[in-house]
Amino acid sequence: DSGVTQTPKHLITATGQRVTLRCSPRSGDLSVYWYQQSLDQGLQFLIQYYNGEERAKGNILERFSAQQFPDLHSELNLSSLELGDSALYFCASSSIAGPTDTQYFGPGTRLTVL
Amino acid sequence: DQQVKQNSPSLSVQEGRISILNCDYTNSMFDYFLWYKKYPAEGPTFLISISSIKDKNEDGRFTVFLNKSAKHLSLHIVPSQPGDSAVYFCAAQAWEPGNTGKLIFGQGTTLQVKP
Protein backbone atom coordinates (compact mmCIF):
# COMPACT_ATOMS: atom_id res chain seq x y z
CA ASP A 1 0.00 0.00 0.00
CA SER A 2 1.61 3.24 -1.21
CA GLY A 3 -0.53 5.45 1.00
CA VAL A 4 -1.97 7.23 -2.05
CA THR A 5 -5.71 6.72 -2.52
CA GLN A 6 -7.75 7.25 -5.64
CA THR A 7 -11.49 7.15 -6.12
CA PRO A 8 -13.40 5.80 -7.86
CA LYS A 9 -11.63 2.63 -8.88
CA HIS A 10 -13.74 2.25 -12.01
CA LEU A 11 -15.85 4.73 -13.92
CA ILE A 12 -18.04 4.03 -16.94
CA THR A 13 -19.65 6.95 -18.70
CA ALA A 14 -20.82 8.15 -22.10
CA THR A 15 -19.28 10.44 -24.66
CA GLY A 16 -19.86 14.11 -23.98
CA GLN A 17 -20.11 13.64 -20.24
CA ARG A 18 -17.96 15.11 -17.48
CA VAL A 19 -16.27 13.19 -14.66
CA THR A 20 -14.13 13.98 -11.64
CA LEU A 21 -11.33 11.76 -10.40
CA ARG A 22 -10.10 12.20 -6.86
CA CYS A 23 -6.68 11.64 -5.31
CA SER A 24 -5.48 11.83 -1.72
CA PRO A 25 -1.69 11.97 -1.42
CA ARG A 26 0.41 10.25 1.22
CA SER A 27 0.37 11.96 4.57
CA GLY A 28 2.82 14.85 4.49
CA ASP A 29 3.33 14.89 0.73
CA LEU A 30 2.84 18.29 -0.85
CA SER A 31 3.21 17.40 -4.50
CA VAL A 32 0.63 15.59 -6.63
CA TYR A 33 1.15 14.37 -10.19
CA TRP A 34 -1.46 13.05 -12.63
CA TYR A 35 -0.58 10.53 -15.34
CA GLN A 36 -2.66 8.87 -18.07
CA GLN A 37 -2.01 5.35 -19.32
CA SER A 38 -3.80 4.44 -22.53
CA LEU A 39 -3.94 0.88 -23.83
CA ASP A 40 -0.47 -0.66 -24.19
CA GLN A 41 1.19 2.68 -23.63
CA GLY A 42 3.47 4.03 -20.97
CA LEU A 43 2.27 6.58 -18.50
CA GLN A 44 1.95 10.09 -19.90
CA PHE A 45 2.44 13.03 -17.56
CA LEU A 46 -0.57 15.34 -17.45
CA ILE A 47 -0.15 17.91 -14.71
CA GLN A 48 1.48 18.56 -11.33
CA TYR A 49 0.43 20.55 -8.30
CA TYR A 50 2.54 21.55 -5.34
CA ASN A 51 0.96 22.82 -2.14
CA GLY A 52 -2.11 24.04 -3.99
CA GLU A 53 -0.37 25.66 -6.94
CA GLU A 54 0.05 24.33 -10.45
CA ARG A 55 3.76 23.58 -11.04
CA ALA A 56 4.04 21.81 -14.37
CA LYS A 57 1.88 20.86 -17.31
CA GLY A 58 2.34 18.06 -19.80
CA ASN A 59 0.27 17.28 -22.85
CA ILE A 60 -2.98 17.82 -21.01
CA LEU A 61 -6.00 18.50 -23.19
CA GLU A 62 -7.91 21.74 -22.74
CA ARG A 63 -10.96 19.66 -21.86
CA PHE A 64 -9.08 18.42 -18.79
CA SER A 65 -8.36 20.47 -15.69
CA ALA A 66 -7.16 19.82 -12.19
CA GLN A 67 -6.83 21.46 -8.83
CA GLN A 68 -5.31 20.80 -5.44
CA PHE A 69 -7.27 21.78 -2.38
CA PRO A 70 -6.05 23.19 0.98
CA ASP A 71 -6.17 19.70 2.51
CA LEU A 72 -3.82 18.68 -0.38
CA HIS A 73 -6.18 16.27 -2.07
CA SER A 74 -6.44 16.75 -5.80
CA GLU A 75 -9.15 16.34 -8.40
CA LEU A 76 -8.81 15.80 -12.12
CA ASN A 77 -11.81 16.96 -14.13
CA LEU A 78 -12.41 15.51 -17.57
CA SER A 79 -15.14 17.07 -19.70
CA SER A 80 -16.71 16.56 -23.14
CA LEU A 81 -15.44 13.02 -22.93
CA GLU A 82 -14.45 11.17 -26.09
CA LEU A 83 -13.90 7.47 -26.71
CA GLY A 84 -10.16 8.08 -26.80
CA ASP A 85 -10.18 9.32 -23.22
CA SER A 86 -10.72 5.76 -22.03
CA ALA A 87 -7.60 4.99 -20.03
CA LEU A 88 -6.12 4.38 -16.62
CA TYR A 89 -5.53 7.58 -14.70
CA PHE A 90 -2.88 7.48 -11.98
CA CYS A 91 -2.13 9.95 -9.30
CA ALA A 92 1.27 10.05 -7.62
CA SER A 93 2.56 12.05 -4.71
CA SER A 94 5.96 13.09 -3.42
CA SER A 95 7.16 15.05 -0.44
CA ILE A 96 8.57 17.97 -2.39
CA ALA A 97 8.51 18.88 -6.06
CA GLY A 98 11.81 18.13 -7.63
CA PRO A 99 13.92 15.56 -9.39
CA THR A 100 15.07 12.47 -7.48
CA ASP A 101 12.13 12.75 -5.11
CA THR A 102 10.43 9.36 -5.23
CA GLN A 103 6.88 9.41 -6.52
CA TYR A 104 4.39 7.03 -4.91
CA PHE A 105 1.50 5.97 -7.09
CA GLY A 106 -2.10 5.27 -6.27
CA PRO A 107 -3.97 2.23 -7.65
CA GLY A 108 -5.47 4.24 -10.50
CA THR A 109 -8.94 4.97 -11.81
CA ARG A 110 -10.02 3.04 -14.88
CA LEU A 111 -12.19 5.28 -17.06
CA THR A 112 -14.29 3.73 -19.80
CA VAL A 113 -16.08 6.06 -22.20
CA LEU A 114 -18.83 4.37 -24.23
CA ASP B 1 8.08 11.48 -30.05
CA GLN B 2 8.93 8.63 -27.70
CA GLN B 3 11.84 9.86 -25.62
CA VAL B 4 12.07 6.70 -23.54
CA LYS B 5 11.73 3.38 -25.32
CA GLN B 6 11.42 -0.16 -24.11
CA ASN B 7 11.62 -2.14 -27.31
CA SER B 8 10.77 -5.53 -25.85
CA PRO B 9 7.08 -5.72 -24.94
CA SER B 10 7.61 -9.00 -23.12
CA LEU B 11 10.27 -11.26 -21.64
CA SER B 12 10.04 -14.79 -20.28
CA VAL B 13 12.73 -16.35 -18.08
CA GLN B 14 13.11 -19.41 -15.91
CA GLU B 15 13.07 -19.08 -12.13
CA GLY B 16 16.58 -18.68 -10.77
CA ARG B 17 18.00 -17.27 -13.99
CA ILE B 18 18.85 -13.66 -14.79
CA SER B 19 16.25 -11.26 -16.20
CA ILE B 20 17.57 -8.35 -18.23
CA LEU B 21 15.21 -5.54 -19.14
CA ASN B 22 16.40 -2.84 -21.50
CA CYS B 23 15.57 0.80 -22.01
CA ASP B 24 16.81 3.40 -24.48
CA TYR B 25 16.39 7.14 -24.37
CA THR B 26 16.92 9.98 -26.79
CA ASN B 27 16.98 13.12 -24.66
CA SER B 28 20.54 13.94 -23.56
CA MET B 29 19.12 16.19 -20.84
CA PHE B 30 17.86 13.20 -18.89
CA ASP B 31 19.99 12.83 -15.79
CA TYR B 32 18.01 10.59 -13.46
CA PHE B 33 16.52 7.24 -14.30
CA LEU B 34 14.10 5.00 -12.46
CA TRP B 35 12.51 1.61 -12.75
CA TYR B 36 8.98 0.99 -11.59
CA LYS B 37 7.23 -2.35 -11.28
CA LYS B 38 3.51 -2.74 -11.78
CA TYR B 39 1.20 -5.60 -10.87
CA PRO B 40 -2.30 -5.83 -12.41
CA ALA B 41 -4.89 -3.60 -10.72
CA GLU B 42 -2.19 -1.75 -8.78
CA GLY B 43 -0.24 1.43 -9.35
CA PRO B 44 3.45 1.41 -10.28
CA THR B 45 5.84 0.81 -7.40
CA PHE B 46 9.31 2.36 -7.28
CA LEU B 47 12.04 -0.25 -7.61
CA ILE B 48 15.44 1.33 -8.12
CA SER B 49 17.01 4.46 -9.56
CA ILE B 50 20.32 5.74 -10.89
CA SER B 51 21.81 9.16 -11.33
CA SER B 52 23.66 10.03 -14.51
CA ILE B 53 26.89 10.47 -12.55
CA LYS B 54 26.92 6.73 -11.86
CA ASP B 55 27.03 3.74 -14.16
CA LYS B 56 25.69 1.14 -11.74
CA ASN B 57 23.39 0.95 -8.76
CA GLU B 58 22.56 -2.18 -6.79
CA ASP B 59 19.78 -3.03 -4.39
CA GLY B 60 19.59 -6.66 -3.40
CA ARG B 61 18.66 -8.76 -6.40
CA PHE B 62 18.18 -5.67 -8.58
CA THR B 63 20.97 -3.84 -10.40
CA VAL B 64 20.58 -0.99 -12.85
CA PHE B 65 23.32 -0.20 -15.35
CA LEU B 66 23.59 3.08 -17.22
CA ASN B 67 25.56 3.62 -20.43
CA LYS B 68 25.34 7.33 -21.11
CA SER B 69 27.24 7.28 -24.37
CA ALA B 70 24.80 4.74 -25.77
CA LYS B 71 21.81 6.36 -24.03
CA HIS B 72 20.92 2.94 -22.71
CA LEU B 73 20.05 1.49 -19.36
CA SER B 74 19.23 -1.99 -18.21
CA LEU B 75 17.73 -3.64 -15.16
CA HIS B 76 19.16 -6.97 -14.06
CA ILE B 77 17.24 -9.23 -11.69
CA VAL B 78 19.27 -12.08 -10.24
CA PRO B 79 18.00 -14.59 -9.36
CA SER B 80 14.56 -14.14 -10.89
CA GLN B 81 11.59 -15.30 -8.83
CA PRO B 82 7.98 -15.99 -9.88
CA GLY B 83 6.88 -13.03 -7.74
CA ASP B 84 8.90 -10.78 -10.03
CA SER B 85 6.37 -11.39 -12.81
CA ALA B 86 4.97 -7.93 -13.53
CA VAL B 87 5.20 -5.02 -15.96
CA TYR B 88 8.41 -3.05 -15.60
CA PHE B 89 8.53 0.60 -16.61
CA CYS B 90 11.65 2.59 -17.26
CA ALA B 91 11.31 6.31 -16.50
CA ALA B 92 13.54 9.37 -16.80
CA GLN B 93 13.78 12.88 -15.49
CA ALA B 94 15.53 15.77 -17.19
CA TRP B 95 17.74 18.36 -15.62
CA GLU B 96 16.23 21.61 -16.69
CA PRO B 97 15.48 24.94 -15.03
CA GLY B 98 12.40 24.64 -12.90
CA ASN B 99 12.30 20.88 -13.20
CA THR B 100 9.61 19.76 -10.87
CA GLY B 101 10.16 16.04 -11.12
CA LYS B 102 7.77 14.94 -13.86
CA LEU B 103 8.58 11.47 -15.11
CA ILE B 104 8.85 10.40 -18.75
CA PHE B 105 7.93 6.72 -19.03
CA GLY B 106 8.68 3.96 -21.51
CA GLN B 107 5.90 1.68 -22.73
CA GLY B 108 6.75 -1.10 -20.32
CA THR B 109 8.04 -4.68 -20.56
CA THR B 110 5.99 -7.58 -19.22
CA LEU B 111 8.24 -10.02 -17.40
CA GLN B 112 7.10 -13.57 -16.82
CA VAL B 113 9.20 -15.75 -14.54
CA LYS B 114 8.35 -19.41 -14.93
CA PRO B 115 8.73 -21.79 -11.97
Side-chain angles (χ1 to χ4, degrees):
Chain A
D1 183 358
S2 67
V4 179
T5 60
Q6 288 187 249
T7 55
K9 204 173 178 72
H10 300 278
L11 198 47
I12 301 175
T13 188
T15 54
Q17 295 298 303
R18 173 189 168 95
V19 296
T20 297
L21 313 184
R22 182 188 168 104
C23 168
S24 293
R26 289 188 324 153
S27 177
D29 283 357
L30 298 177
S31 191
V32 169
Y33 302 79
W34 285 97
Y35 293 86
Q36 178 193 53
Q37 184 186 17
S38 300
L39 191 64
D40 295 332
Q41 296 294 311
L43 285 75
Q44 303 288 325
F45 169 73
L46 293 177
I47 197 164
Q48 180 203 5
Y49 278 80
Y50 176 75
N51 204 22
E53 307 255 336
E54 181 185 304
R55 285 295 296 269
K57 245 180 176 176
N59 294 328
I60 186 168
L61 299 171
E62 284 192 16
R63 300 183 285 108
F64 296 2
S65 65
Q67 52 186 325
Q68 187 179 28
F69 295 85
D71 67 352
L72 300 177
H73 91 271
S74 177
E75 292 181 357
L76 180 67
N77 301 296
L78 315 176
S79 61
S80 303
L81 284 168
E82 301 175 0
L83 296 177
D85 297 327
S86 296
L88 269 168
Y89 291 84
F90 290 102
C91 163
S93 75
S94 65
S95 57
I96 55 174
T100 76
D101 192 31
T102 300
Q103 293 179 32
Y104 296 88
F105 283 78
T109 293
R110 181 175 293 280
L111 173 65
T112 303
V113 182
L114 300 175
Chain B
D1 176 29
Q2 191 75 29
Q3 298 184 70
V4 178
K5 296 181 185 179
Q6 294 176 255
N7 292 316
S8 298
S10 62
L11 175 68
S12 181
V13 300
Q14 212 58 41
E15 181 180 5
R17 306 296 290 265
I18 184 172
S19 295
I20 300 176
L21 295 97
N22 294 302
C23 178
D24 297 296
Y25 62 95
T26 57
N27 189 340
S28 56
M29 297 299 288
F30 287 151
D31 68 339
Y32 192 68
F33 303 89
L34 310 90
W35 285 92
Y36 277 82
K37 173 174 154 179
K38 184 183 179 304
Y39 292 118
E42 295 183 12
T45 302
F46 170 73
L47 198 53
I48 192 169
S49 63
I50 187 166
S51 163
S52 59
I53 62 173
K54 295 186 172 182
D55 54 17
K56 177 182 172 180
N57 188 26
E58 243 177 301
D59 183 2
R61 296 185 297 114
F62 302 91
T63 303
V64 56
F65 295 92
L66 175 63
N67 182 334
K68 282 182 62 178
S69 60
K71 293 192 176 70
H72 177 83
L73 63 155
S74 60
L75 174 68
H76 292 210
I77 306 174
V78 183
S80 301
Q81 299 172 354
D84 295 329
S85 298
V87 179
Y88 288 78
F89 289 101
C90 170
Q93 287 178 329
W95 184 92
E96 56 194 9
N99 181 10
T100 61
K102 69 178 183 185
L103 295 171
I104 309 299
F105 281 88
Q107 308 96 305
T109 296
T110 300
L111 173 66
Q112 182 186 29
V113 180
K114 296 180 179 177

